[in-house]
Amino acid sequence: MLLSLVLHTYSMRYFLPAAVMMGTAPTYVLAWGAWRLLSALLPARFYREVDDRLYTIYQSMVLFFFENYTGVQVIIYGDLPKNKENVIYLSNHQCTVDWIIADMLAIRQNALGHVRYVLKDGLKWLPLYGWYFSQHGGVYVKRSAKFNEKEMREKLRTQMKAETSMYLVIFPEGTRYNPEIPKVIADSQLFAEKEGLAILKHVLTPRVKATHVAIDTMKDYLDAVYDVTVAYEGTVDHKGQRKLAPSMTEFLCKECPRVHIFIDRIELKDIPEEQMYMRRWLHERFEIKDKLLIEFYDAKDSKRRNKFPGKSVHSKLSLKKTLPSLLFLGGLTASMLLTESGRKLYVKTWIYGTLIGCLWVSIKP
């Protein structure tokens, strides 16, 4: 009985946030779809401005759960500008929460609506979300030989032509660093050794293609590149070995007490333009990340563990930035579900929105 109660309480920790975030998705898609139709005859920049505002509302609600609800401490190191910029955001990749970390930084610069992702191609099939991420300016890419450079360049040029504010998130490793899959880590290290590159311990060998295409295409449009290193406390076992980083479910269950984020703002003039040289530059950036993470996880002095070197700021997100969005989207969804016609529209949005979205992404990248 007691065990059942504990399990029930634990599951409720993530069930309520997940239900609200997913439950409001059809409402959001309907609002966005209405604006998409209304703005069809307007210049693209007007559509983008309102789309960014809508996206800010939804993601602010998401951050209510991932920050205010969980109570996680966000500790920021380095040089995060206070003002919004057109940037490329390069980060190490450990888990799905990494997507949320980009939102955590963007909202502190009033740039939340500008966040767009370079994502694995398979994610475009996510119901409702996959289609919308593409419409919002996200770029889906395939790995290795299947990578379509032309498609990515065209997508980015379209965004620039529409004067779209850009906070483009890229995870150059191409897949997550997972201590439970040592073969992926070993293969990454073997590749680095064959290529004469430094062998990395806490990150994978980065791939340069998407990063090079993004920087090369938008070099006259960007203000900077953010090199971001993320570490989650509580991801080391009793033997001092790294564990799997928290999933979104575990994070919402408050299993991560603190997130440490190190930001290094890099000027475009300091980045090589040729892909061959940029590849080495990118690897050197990941060497820096690796050293930071070695210090975080493996420092001989226990007092130096679980933190990055240098000054840090405990950054708390105000409820004023998140709670209104939760109340607005939650109230709108609840009012729709109170009527029979609203419930029918809600269900049809899930079904037909998913089908139309899958058809759209299968035809248009």
Side-chain angles (χ1 to χ4, degrees):
M1 178 69 178
L2 181 60
L3 178 60
S4 176
L5 180 61
V6 169
L7 291 174
H8 177 70
T9 303
Y10 182 86
S11 65
M12 285 301 293
R13 284 183 177 181
Y14 67 84
F15 177 78
L16 177 61
V20 174
M21 287 186 284
M22 294 187 67
T24 54
T27 311
Y28 178 81
V29 169
L30 282 170
W32 166 78
W35 169 242
R36 193 77 173 98
L37 291 172
L38 288 171
S39 64
L41 299 177
L42 298 175
R45 71 176 183 275
F46 289 115
Y47 161 70
R48 287 293 173 201
E49 286 176 7
V50 176
D51 175 54
D52 284 359
R53 290 181 183 276
L54 289 171
Y55 189 73
T56 297
I57 293 171
Y58 186 84
Q59 291 302 109
S60 296
M61 178 195 69
V62 170
L63 285 176
F64 169 84
F65 289 111
F66 277 90
E67 281 207 57
N68 303 119
Y69 170 78
T70 63
V72 65
Q73 291 184 32
V74 177
I75 304 173
I76 298 176
Y77 307 73
D79 47 0
L80 180 68
K82 292 182 179 180
N83 299 322
K84 62 183 73 173
E85 300 182 286
N86 286 325
V87 300
I88 289 176
Y89 170 114
L90 303 176
S91 176
N92 58 317
H93 193 23
Q94 308 158 75
C95 57
T96 50
V97 182
D98 293 335
W99 298 356
I100 307 299
I101 300 299
D103 290 340
M104 290 179 178
L105 293 182
I107 197 172
R108 286 162 169 82
Q109 295 178 275
N110 293 317
L112 185 56
H114 306 162
V115 175
R116 310 171 211 282
Y117 299 95
V118 174
L119 298 164
K120 289 188 291 188
D121 190 66
L123 293 173
K124 69 185 182 183
W125 304 110
L126 285 172
L128 298 185
Y129 294 96
W131 178 32
Y132 176 72
F133 282 148
S134 176
Q135 295 292 304
H136 184 62
V139 182
Y140 290 108
V141 296
K142 296 179 180 179
R143 296 178 183 174
S144 305
K146 295 182 178 180
F147 178 81
N148 193 321
E149 179 178 327
K150 183 181 177 182
E151 280 186 3
M152 184 173 179
R153 285 188 186 276
E154 287 178 355
K155 187 77 179 273
L156 294 175
R157 284 174 184 141
T158 300
Q159 304 299 321
M160 291 189 292
K161 187 177 179 180
E163 300 178 9
T164 303
S165 297
M166 189 60 65
Y167 203 101
L168 186 66
V169 178
I170 303 176
F171 300 110
E173 290 159 287
T175 191
R176 300 174 206 165
Y177 179 97
N178 186 345
E180 295 181 0
I181 310 179
K183 185 179 183 304
V184 172
I185 299 171
D187 288 347
S188 174
Q189 293 173 340
L190 181 61
F191 176 79
E193 185 178 9
K194 287 180 178 178
E195 296 295 316
L197 301 169
I199 295 174
L200 307 173
K201 180 180 180 182
H202 286 294
V203 291
L204 301 177
T205 303
R207 307 177 188 205
V208 74
K209 286 184 179 179
T211 302
H212 176 258
V213 170
I215 293 176
D216 184 60
T217 304
M218 300 192 294
K219 58 189 174 186
D220 297 324
Y221 192 75
L222 298 170
D223 296 306
V225 169
Y226 293 171
D227 183 7
V228 180
T229 306
V230 180
Y232 301 92
E233 270 195 46
T235 51
V236 176
D237 64 21
H238 66 283
K239 295 180 181 179
Q241 299 298 311
R242 274 190 73 177
K243 299 189 300 182
L244 191 63
S247 64
M248 286 189 176
T249 298
E250 291 166 338
F251 199 93
L252 289 170
C253 287
K254 308 182 181 183
E255 292 189 12
C256 179
R258 282 170 288 277
V259 177
H260 298 257
I261 311 169
F262 193 102
I263 304 103
D264 194 357
R265 184 184 183 278
I266 302 169
E267 297 283 348
L268 271 295
K269 62 182 177 62
D270 297 326
I271 302 174
E273 292 188 10
E274 294 293 328
Q275 181 171 323
M276 178 177 65
Y277 298 114
M278 190 183 291
R279 178 192 182 201
R280 185 162 292 276
W281 169 85
L282 184 61
H283 195 86
E284 288 171 355
R285 296 308 310 180
F286 270 72
E287 287 181 56
I288 294 171
K289 291 180 184 297
D290 203 42
K291 289 175 182 176
L292 287 170
L293 292 168
I294 287 171
E295 180 80 5
F296 187 91
Y297 292 115
D298 306 329
K300 291 182 180 179
D301 183 353
S302 60
K303 293 180 181 179
R304 290 164 54 191
R305 290 182 209 143
N306 289 322
K307 61 182 179 181
F308 290 131
K311 293 182 180 179
S312 63
V313 176
H314 290 240
S315 180
K316 189 173 182 180
L317 183 62
S318 171
L319 277 170
K320 292 179 181 178
K321 288 193 171 186
T322 59
L323 186 58
S325 296
L326 171 66
L327 296 176
F328 175 72
L329 282 174
L332 207 59
T333 303
S335 63
M336 181 185 295
L337 295 175
L338 286 174
T339 65
E340 184 178 352
S341 59
R343 289 191 291 272
K344 287 180 179 179
L345 179 60
Y346 181 88
V347 172
K348 286 179 179 178
T349 303
W350 264 118
I351 296 172
Y352 294 115
T354 298
L355 292 175
I356 293 170
C358 289
L359 179 63
W360 182 271
V361 296
S362 66
I363 297 172
K364 190 173 182 178

